[in-house]
Amino acid sequence: MSLSTFGQLMTVPSTSPCHEPSERTRAAGAGRYLLRFESLFHSGRGLSFPCDARGQVVMDHLSEQARENYLFARAVVGHEYATPVVQCCDD
């Protein structure tokens, strides 16, 4: 299975606004942006992951479940999810 080069991210609910980043996320320079994988089949549903401005975060900061969700979303881009988009979370 070939994975894209978007980076490594953490899952947050798709209906959640940008959340306050953890100390580890803040130290990695991530959390002000979300990488959004929009579902191709369920309008308004998808997966979002805190990231930097380029769509990258450190996988070491993910829980096991978040890492699995992220890797799944990347693997099924074009089949289950649209190409991810970086969204700014600044107020």
Side-chain angles (χ1 to χ4, degrees):
M1 168 173 57
S2 174
L3 298 177
S4 67
T5 59
F6 282 104
Q8 305 121 7
L9 308 166
M10 185 170 96
T11 307
V12 295
S14 62
T15 58
S16 172
C18 188
H19 63 284
E20 183 64 29
S22 68
E23 289 300 318
R24 287 191 333 179
T25 304
R26 208 180 345 262
R32 292 182 24 211
Y33 299 90
L34 292 176
L35 186 65
R36 173 90 175 147
F37 290 83
E38 190 73 31
S39 173
L40 294 175
F41 303 105
H42 305 286
S43 180
R45 299 207 47 190
L47 297 171
S48 296
F49 304 90
C51 64
D52 65 13
R54 297 182 339 182
Q56 299 178 335
V57 299
V58 179
M59 267 184 114
D60 291 343
H61 295 178
L62 301 176
S63 68
E64 184 175 338
Q65 182 65 55
R67 189 172 18 259
E68 289 176 11
N69 288 343
Y70 173 66
L71 293 174
F72 174 77
R74 288 195 337 184
V76 297
V77 166
H79 299 280
E80 296 286 329
Y81 294 104
T83 302
V85 176
V86 176
Q87 299 175 330
C88 183
C89 289
D90 291 338
D91 291 331

